[in-house]
RNA sequence: CGGGGAGUAGCGCAGCCUGGUAGCGCGCCUGCUUUGGGAGCAGGAGAUCGUCGGUUCAAAUCCGGCCUCCCCGACCA
């Protein structure tokens, strides 16, 4: 008999075909389904629960750093969107326009927001008059529409959900500090809650946000060796305040333009979790954001399992639930335990508890970790702390595995030829130096499809300078290259 | 947006070339036997063949438009 390596067999193995694995697991695990409009998806309850967990944990951090939530209109008059030239140029190819209200053509077209700097800037100009009005620290949870050519569930959809912070400050230094504070908040969030290690740094001129002075971002490596941008924080300088006339009078009675920032993370993070942690058997959710942290599978053997096993399973579910664990008792009849094991593994539940006649007799439950498939009996006495401790270990292990993967797939290369072959054959990050010239950046992108994901900030550099991987000139920009989503 | 592939039951597919009563596997429903890693047998339900139009006595099948998905590029969170 052939040993079954793959315990889940209704999805394509990730190692065989990553793209197919990704879309299949998202649909079969019921995270999302395609809507009948190009590039649009329905986020199903199991997927939406992940987003809700992300929201809850992110919202807490946003508020703890002094920001408040508000809500702005989803339509932006064309005249407002046009004000910042670079902003318009960057976004106009992907803006959806409302041209009619009912049967009447509108006097002025309305953009469905591709991002809200313009509408929020126009409001800030009304609200900000004095240095005493600053800083303004507002966040909004909203939907966004960008008419993308190529779409993929969660990673790039025509409509997506996100949070966008928009702040205004009295000085350039304050604005920059805010930008970096949020960048670090995002990094900490990705690592703590999503168990995804990220590198952070600056974007190049070519990759920065349309209208920003400087864009910072966090980037992670997915298990197929491609990079994913997971969050951005923009220092807008006075670009928008000058065109939206956001002015205040300072303590010296001088009129000044405000210094602004904007920053966001989106439902893309759900896709990041799928791609960073998933394996051949399906999803592996980090416990802190898993829709279900524990699934209890009763072993339905014997005539009297409903009288013996089931009550113990129900009681166990109740105890865990009361302890704050997101737990489900899968007491469906007509599915064998083995079927349920595979199903919940595919759907990424971090921990499974099996309770059968043997366990009831021994006052134990068999715990099976999704991340390692390791099995261990736990006493039913004082179960909640044991489960919590296992969930913590799983969270940590997923992070450690992802970090190990990134380290194994971050390459340093001798020359451009090696660069090309590494990108082509091994993927992953290449950590190297760049002269700062757009010719080299463009040439590398054309020839290898790799882009500069981040330019490391001073404090993160491991060497002060080196020669550009492309032209050989001395450069002070230490960068990470990768092919990206 | 360019190049390629695809859309037939909830899922995966055959049928199309050569027009003539829509099929298979899994899943679903019922019953019995099972149940500690995706159970077995028997019976049953489920499809306006992506959509709109054309050709024809007759279209899943031939022709055209459109929509959606997948892969590879150009563009982007």
């Amino acid at each position: 008999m052939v040993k079954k390596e793959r315990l889940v067999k209704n999805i394509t193995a990730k190692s065989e075909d990553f793209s197919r694995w990704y879309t299949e697991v998202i649909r079969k695990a019921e995270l999302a389904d395609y809507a009948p409009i190009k590039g649009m998806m329905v986020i199903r309850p199991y997927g939406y629960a992940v987003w809700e967990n992300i929201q809850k944990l992110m919202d807490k951090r946003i508020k703890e750093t002094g920001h408040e939530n508000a809500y702005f209109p989803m339509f932006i008059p064309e005249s407002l969107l046009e004000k910042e030239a670079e902003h318009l140029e960057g976004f106009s190819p992907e803006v959806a326009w409302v041209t009619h209200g009912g049967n009447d053509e509108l006097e002025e077209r309305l953009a469905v927001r591709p991002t809200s700097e313009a509408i929020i800037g126009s409001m800030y100009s009304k609200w900000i008059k004095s240095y005493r009005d600053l800083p303004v620290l507002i966040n909004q949870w909203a939907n966004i529409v960008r008419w993308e050519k190529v779409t993929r569930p969660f990673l790039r959809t025509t409509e997506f959900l996100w949070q966008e912070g928009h702040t205004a400050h009295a000085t350039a230094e304050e604005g920059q500090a805010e930008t970096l504070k949020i960048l670090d908040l995002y990094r900490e969030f990705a690592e703590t809650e999503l168990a995804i290690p990220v590198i952070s740094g600056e974007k190049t001129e070519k990759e920065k946000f349309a209208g920003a002075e400087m864009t910072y971002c966090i980037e992670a490596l997915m298990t197929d060796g491609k990079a994913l941008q997971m969050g951005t924080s923009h220092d807008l300088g006075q670009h928008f305040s000058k065109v939206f006339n956001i002015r205040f009078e300072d303590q010296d009675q001088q009129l000044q333009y405000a210094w602004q920032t904007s920053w966001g993370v989106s439902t893309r993070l759900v896709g990041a979790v799928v791609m960073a942690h998933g394996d051949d058997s399906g999803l592996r959710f980090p416990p802190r954001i898993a829709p279900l942290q524990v699934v209890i599978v009763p072993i339905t053997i014997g005539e009297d399992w409903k009288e013996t096993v089931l009550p113990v399973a129900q009681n166990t579910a109740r105890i865990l639930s009361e302890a704050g664990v997101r737990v489900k008792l899968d007491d469906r009849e007509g599915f064998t335990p083995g079927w349920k094991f595979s199903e919940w593994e595919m759907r990424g539940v971090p921990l499974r508890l099996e309770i059968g006649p043997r366990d009831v007799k021994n006052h134990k439950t068999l715990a099976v970790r999704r991340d390692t498939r390791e099995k261990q009996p736990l006493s039913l006495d004082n179960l909640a702390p044991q489960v919590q401790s296992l969930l913590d270990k799983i969270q940590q292990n997923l992070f450690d595995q992802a970090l190990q993967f990134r380290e194994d797939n971050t390459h340093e290369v001798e020359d451009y030829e090696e660069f090309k072959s590494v990108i082509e054959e091994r993927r992953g990050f290449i950590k190297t130096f760049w002269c700062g010239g757009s010719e080299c950046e463009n040439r590398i992108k054309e020839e290898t499809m790799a882009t500069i994901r981040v330019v490391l900030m001073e404090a993160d550099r491991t060497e002060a300078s080196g020669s550009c991987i492309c032209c050989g000139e001395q450069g002070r920009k230490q960068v990470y290259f990768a092919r990206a989503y």
Side-chain angles (χ1 to χ4, degrees), chain A residues 5-22 24 223-224 278-282:
Chain A
E5 297 252 329
R6 290 187 56 213
L7 300 175
V8 171
K9 53 196 177 195
N10 61 356
I11 54 168
T12 301
K14 189 176 82 158
S15 46
E16 277 170 34
D17 185 340
F18 191 88
S19 287
R20 201 165 159 190
W21 170 86
Y22 179 77
E24 278 184 12
T223 45
D224 63 344
D279 66 14
D280 278 359
S281 300

Side-chain angles (χ1 to χ4, degrees), chain A residues 170 238 241 246-250 252 254-259:
Chain A
Q238 294 177 311
S241 63
I246 306 171
R247 290 194 299 179
F248 66 96
E249 201 171 327
D250 68 16
D252 302 325
Q254 299 294 307
L255 270 184
Q256 303 252 24
Y257 287 106
W259 300 82

Side-chain angles (χ1 to χ4, degrees), chain A residues 10-81:
Chain A
N10 61 356
I11 54 168
T12 301
K14 189 176 82 158
S15 46
E16 277 170 34
D17 185 340
F18 191 88
S19 287
R20 201 165 159 190
W21 170 86
Y22 179 77
T23 52
E24 278 184 12
V25 80
I26 277 174
R27 292 225 288 165
K28 296 226 160 120
E30 298 181 356
L31 297 181
D33 201 356
Y34 293 107
I37 308 114
K38 182 173 163 53
M40 301 189 110
M41 64 171 178
V42 176
I43 305 176
R44 301 184 66 177
Y46 195 65
Y48 200 75
V50 179
W51 178 239
E52 286 181 313
N53 290 334
I54 288 173
Q55 274 188 307
K56 192 169 63 191
L57 296 162
M58 180 60 81
D59 196 62
K60 183 165 178 277
R61 285 170 170 77
I62 289 171
K63 285 173 179 160
E64 279 171 357
T65 45
H67 305 85
E68 296 177 296
N69 285 336
Y71 190 79
F72 294 82
M74 76 182 304
F75 296 143
I76 302 175
E78 185 164 21
S79 54
L80 281 185
L81 198 63

Side-chain angles (χ1 to χ4, degrees), chain A residues 14-186:
Chain A
K14 189 176 82 158
S15 46
E16 277 170 34
D17 185 340
F18 191 88
S19 287
R20 201 165 159 190
W21 170 86
Y22 179 77
T23 52
E24 278 184 12
V25 80
I26 277 174
R27 292 225 288 165
K28 296 226 160 120
E30 298 181 356
L31 297 181
D33 201 356
Y34 293 107
I37 308 114
K38 182 173 163 53
M40 301 189 110
M41 64 171 178
V42 176
I43 305 176
R44 301 184 66 177
Y46 195 65
Y48 200 75
V50 179
W51 178 239
E52 286 181 313
N53 290 334
I54 288 173
Q55 274 188 307
K56 192 169 63 191
L57 296 162
M58 180 60 81
D59 196 62
K60 183 165 178 277
R61 285 170 170 77
I62 289 171
K63 285 173 179 160
E64 279 171 357
T65 45
H67 305 85
E68 296 177 296
N69 285 336
Y71 190 79
F72 294 82
M74 76 182 304
F75 296 143
I76 302 175
E78 185 164 21
S79 54
L80 281 185
L81 198 63
E82 280 174 350
K83 286 201 175 191
E84 216 288 337
E86 206 179 310
H87 188 61
L88 176 73
E89 193 192 329
F91 282 103
S92 66
E94 49 193 66
V95 170
W97 293 101
V98 177
T99 57
H100 287 74
N103 296 321
D104 300 328
E105 189 166 348
L106 302 178
E107 292 277 318
E108 181 183 7
R109 298 197 296 174
L110 299 173
V112 181
R113 62 183 163 213
T115 179
S116 301
E117 278 74 8
I119 189 88
I120 290 178
S122 75
M123 297 309 295
Y124 280 9
S125 74
K126 290 167 68 174
W127 298 342
I128 296 169
K129 295 294 167 202
S130 152
Y131 72 91
R132 293 181 214 275
D133 296 327
L134 296 171
V136 173
L137 305 173
I138 287 180
N139 175 66
Q140 116 165 320
W141 289 95
N143 61 337
I144 289 296
V145 169
R146 295 182 190 174
W147 219 263
E148 300 284 358
K149 308 275 201 268
V150 176
T151 57
R152 301 195 78 192
F154 291 110
L155 300 181
R156 181 171 292 103
T157 48
T158 302
E159 180 189 12
F160 58 94
L161 307 181
W162 76 352
Q163 59 71 213
E164 47 179 330
H166 294 269
T167 68
H169 306 265
T171 65
E173 292 70 30
E174 257 187 60
Q176 191 177 30
E178 166 78 4
T179 311
L180 294 175
K181 179 201 278 183
I182 296 297
L183 181 71
D184 197 54
L185 185 156
Y186 284 167

